[in-house]
Amino acid sequence: MSSQIVWIGKEKNYNEIEELKNISYGSFNWLWSDADTILFNRDGLEFIGAVIKLNEPITVKMDKIDRGLIEDKFGNIKISEAKNFDCKLSDFTEYYVEDDTILSYSKKWNRINPSTEIKVTEDFSFVLQNEEMMGFVIYKASKHLLPDGIDLVEENNNIKEDLRIKLGGFFEIIERMDDELTQYEESELKGSLKEIYEETLPYSEPAYITLRDTISNVLDYM
């Protein structure tokens, strides 16, 4: 969470991604550039992994996600034109608190026209329109927060429903930090961050540790 990276696939570090790039088609730009690292197998052209940087700040929505004209499908994705592959999936990122869902999408996506959501895993989907990737969706987002050094989320029933409220509150504070703040307003934001931090102290699950670590990093930055 602290780096706002979404990691999809079996690889657990950048060295493995570098190896994968040797046998893949796709976007080979790293996270600080305009495109994400999204890879397809050279033989069958199937999707095999991605490392995606979320756009910031993340806009908080208190209502449920509006799926609009999105058709659900389950399965894999194949690249149609290897030589022309390029995409940017996260011009905008929204967190829907009630659904605990992250939607991240390109400015090219026309949300009033039909789209297809391909569920690659139980909680992760790509959104396609006109045979192009337009974005992605993460369900149960708060349960997929990972601190440094951990690379797999296990099913955990100890995550409380109010974690998504804390996560939404954190994103709202981060969004406000882009404003011109008075010293008093900045002090208020620090106080709000410390309050969220203290509320997570009783819990030892990775999601809570991640939120605490990220808040500590933000407080150090401020």
Side-chain angles (χ1 to χ4, degrees):
M1 179 183 174
S2 59
S3 56
Q4 292 187 202
I5 293 174
V6 179
W7 197 290
I8 303 296
K10 297 177 181 179
E11 290 65 38
K12 298 179 180 179
N13 57 56
Y14 283 108
N15 290 334
E16 292 181 83
I17 291 291
E18 287 282 10
E19 291 292 326
L20 199 60
K21 288 160 71 171
N22 296 326
I23 58 169
S24 306
Y25 291 127
S27 167
F28 299 147
N29 297 299
W30 290 105
L31 301 175
W32 51 80
S33 64
D34 287 339
D36 301 301
T37 301
I38 304 172
L39 305 174
F40 294 81
N41 184 280
R42 283 184 184 173
D43 294 329
L45 302 182
E46 297 95 348
F47 169 77
I48 51 175
V51 184
I52 305 167
K53 182 74 165 66
L54 284 175
N55 186 67
E56 55 182 22
I58 296 172
T59 302
V60 174
K61 306 282 189 178
M62 299 307 297
D63 52 349
K64 291 187 176 182
I65 189 171
D66 179 10
R67 292 174 47 80
L69 299 174
I70 298 181
E71 175 190 10
D72 286 339
K73 288 191 177 181
F74 294 82
N76 210 333
I77 297 175
K78 291 186 177 182
I79 185 172
S80 57
E81 291 289 340
K83 63 182 180 179
N84 295 328
F85 184 85
D86 185 40
C87 70
K88 185 177 179 184
L89 298 178
S90 52
D91 288 312
F92 307 101
T93 305
E94 299 166 350
Y95 177 59
Y96 292 82
V97 176
E98 188 171 347
D99 287 330
D100 194 18
T101 298
I102 284 179
L103 170 65
S104 197
Y105 56 94
S106 165
K107 59 187 175 184
K108 293 172 61 178
W109 186 29
N110 185 340
R111 297 181 69 173
I112 65 173
N113 286 343
S115 306
T116 302
E117 179 182 335
I118 305 293
K119 292 187 73 69
V120 178
T121 73
E122 182 180 351
D123 293 336
F124 180 86
S125 303
F126 282 117
V127 176
L128 277 65
Q129 188 174 66
N130 300 323
E131 298 186 354
E132 290 187 55
M133 283 185 176
M134 291 294 171
F136 60 91
V137 187
I138 303 174
Y139 299 97
K140 302 177 186 175
S142 64
K143 295 186 178 182
H144 291 280
L145 303 179
L146 285 180
D148 293 338
I150 297 180
D151 50 46
L152 179 66
V153 176
E154 296 181 0
E155 187 66 27
N156 196 318
N157 296 322
N158 294 326
I159 302 295
K160 307 300 180 185
E161 288 296 318
D162 66 347
L163 179 60
R164 62 176 186 249
I165 306 296
K166 295 178 176 60
L167 185 60
F170 171 77
F171 288 145
E172 285 181 321
I173 292 170
I174 297 302
E175 189 171 14
R176 284 193 60 196
M177 286 175 60
D178 283 344
D179 299 337
E180 290 290 333
L181 299 173
T182 65
Q183 189 172 359
Y184 175 77
E185 288 171 331
E186 184 173 322
S187 177
E188 274 194 323
L189 292 186
K190 285 183 178 179
S192 298
L193 284 172
K194 290 177 181 177
E195 184 177 339
I196 296 173
Y197 182 95
E198 290 169 359
E199 289 173 350
T200 66
L201 285 175
Y203 307 102
S204 60
E205 287 73 27
Y208 293 99
I209 295 172
T210 305
L211 187 52
R212 284 199 296 272
D213 289 350
T214 308
I215 289 173
S216 293
N217 291 338
V218 173
L219 289 171
D220 289 344
Y221 171 79
M222 294 176 73

